[in-house]
């Protein structure tokens, strides 16, 4: 095993007894430090692919090897060589996930939203969790909003909180499912700026997005998906400046001005 963090092998997700192939044999390696940007038309399987990485979508077939463990298996061998039940929640803790919608608890303050999981799941000391939360809020310019409630924040602020809330679990990889698509246009930049800083700091990221500028500027690799298949992948300059697949050429002609 080299620098791969996640190895996806022949991943399939079928519905209606195979009539709908949301994912149809996707194979790709995600290396540590990668900023992998997934693009493609609506309905191409991008979000299904992303949600399959932490088994929010259970694959029909294929393998997802995360940190050397095939998380699609019901049982794995432990360090002593014994077969034990796979605890997917242990692996999910290593994967931060940010959705289109922020999923903050409306009745809890921003600080409480951020410290809930580390305290309950990782048994972090409350004072240490709050100190870490304030540090992360400071990083995204929201330290003064720690005592506020989600309803008091703008969409962009809520999404920034959602990102640093995921970072509270100290994940090995961050998964972003169209994190700016529900935002007003003037709020998109502030969220992308946080994601750019994460990329500069070396965070492994998989980002499903329609923001082609972000893909070109920040992505280390770009995947193009259509009809549940991975049709092309490569460095941003290759994908955007010299697309090979006709479907990619057609897609870019519509989204690039």
């Amino acid at each position: 095993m080299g620098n791969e963090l996640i190895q996806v092998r022949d991943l399939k997700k079928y519905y209606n007894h195979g009539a709908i192939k949301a994912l149809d044999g996707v194979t790709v390696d995600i290396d540590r430090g990668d900023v992998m940007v997934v693009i493609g038309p609506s309905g191409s399987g991008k979000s299904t692919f992303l949600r399959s990485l932490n088994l929010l979508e259970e694959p029909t077939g294929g393998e997802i090897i995360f940190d050397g463990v095939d998380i699609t298996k019901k049982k794995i061998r432990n360090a002593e060589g014994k077969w034990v039940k796979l605890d997917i929640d242990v692996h999910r803790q290593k994967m931060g996930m940010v959705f289109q919608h922020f999923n903050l608890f409306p009745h809890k303050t921003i600080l409480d939203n951020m410290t809930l999981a580390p305290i309950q799941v990782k048994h972090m000391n409350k004072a240490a969790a709050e100190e870490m939360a304030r540090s992360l809020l400071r990083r995204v310019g929201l330290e003064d909003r720690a005592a506020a409630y989600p309803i008091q924040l703008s969409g962009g602020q809520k999404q920034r909180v959602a990102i640093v809330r995921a970072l509270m679990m100290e994940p090995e990889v961050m998964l972003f499912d169209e994190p700016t698509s529900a935002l007003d246009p003037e709020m998109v930049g502030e969220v992308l700026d946080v994601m750019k800083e994460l990329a500069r700091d070396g965070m492994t990221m998989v980002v499903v997005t329609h923001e082609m500028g972000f893909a070109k500027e920040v992505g280390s690799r770009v995947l193009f998906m259509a009809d549940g298949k991975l049709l092309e992948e490569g460095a941003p300059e290759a994908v955007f400046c010299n697309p090979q697949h006709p479907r990619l050429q057609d897609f870019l002609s519509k989204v690039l001005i």
Side-chain angles (χ1 to χ4, degrees):
M1 183 174 170
N3 197 38
E4 303 93 350
L5 178 61
I6 304 173
Q7 298 166 288
V8 180
R9 295 290 178 266
D10 197 26
L11 190 64
K12 300 181 177 74
K13 178 62 178 181
Y14 296 165
Y15 297 97
N16 293 352
H17 307 289
I20 299 173
K21 296 181 178 180
L23 293 174
D24 194 15
V26 174
T27 295
V28 69
D29 287 340
I30 301 164
D31 293 340
R32 297 177 193 277
D34 256 355
V35 180
M36 182 173 283
V37 183
V38 188
I39 63 171
S42 296
S44 60
K46 305 185 301 295
S47 289
T48 303
F49 168 71
L50 191 80
R51 292 168 63 87
S52 295
L53 294 180
N54 63 0
L55 298 195
L56 287 179
E57 294 279 359
E58 190 166 341
T60 305
E63 298 178 336
I64 302 168
I65 301 165
F66 176 55
D67 263 347
V69 176
D70 184 355
I71 61 174
T72 65
K73 297 288 186 279
K74 302 296 184 186
K75 290 188 174 183
I76 59 172
R77 286 189 186 273
N78 65 12
E80 289 79 41
K82 296 179 181 178
W83 288 99
V84 295
K85 182 181 178 182
L86 175 77
D87 186 352
I88 186 57
D89 289 333
V90 170
H91 298 278
R92 283 188 179 135
Q93 288 177 31
K94 303 175 187 177
M95 298 184 181
M97 183 108 189
V98 179
F99 300 91
Q100 296 178 33
H101 300 286
F102 327 112
N103 299 326
L104 300 176
F105 293 111
H107 61 290
K108 292 186 177 292
T109 66
I110 298 308
L111 190 66
D112 288 341
N113 264 281
M114 292 185 62
T115 57
L116 183 66
I119 291 172
Q120 291 196 354
V121 178
K122 297 183 74 175
H123 309 295
M124 187 182 287
N125 173 275
K126 185 172 187 282
E130 290 186 351
E131 181 181 352
M132 182 179 180
R134 291 184 189 280
S135 175
L136 286 168
L137 287 171
R138 189 181 312 122
R139 180 174 173 180
V140 297
L142 292 173
E143 188 182 18
D144 62 334
R145 309 301 281 161
Y149 288 85
I151 197 172
Q152 298 172 290
L153 272 59
S154 70
Q157 289 174 327
K158 289 175 188 174
Q159 195 62 296
R160 281 186 277 162
V161 169
I163 292 171
V164 291
R165 178 184 58 178
L167 292 175
M168 287 289 295
M169 297 298 286
E170 300 180 292
E172 293 185 34
V173 58
M174 288 284 286
L175 310 176
F176 294 88
D177 190 5
E178 299 191 21
T180 60
S181 64
L183 300 178
D184 292 334
E186 64 269 21
M187 296 177 182
V188 169
E190 64 190 61
V191 174
L192 293 180
D193 284 344
V194 173
M195 295 170 64
K196 290 174 185 176
E197 184 181 338
L198 284 178
R200 285 194 294 269
D201 288 347
M203 172 62 75
T204 306
M205 299 161 63
V206 185
V207 185
V208 171
T209 186
H210 294 290
E211 299 290 338
M212 296 300 125
F214 176 87
K216 286 196 277 188
E217 179 186 349
V218 185
S220 56
R221 280 197 294 159
V222 177
L223 307 187
F224 173 71
M225 294 184 65
D227 303 319
K229 295 180 182 290
L230 173 56
L231 296 184
E232 192 161 335
E233 70 168 298
E237 55 269 22
V239 169
F240 287 105
C241 299
N242 190 28
Q244 301 297 306
H245 198 284
R247 284 295 300 276
L248 176 57
Q249 294 169 1
D250 179 63
F251 174 76
L252 293 178
S253 73
K254 295 172 180 173
V255 299
L256 295 180
I257 300 173

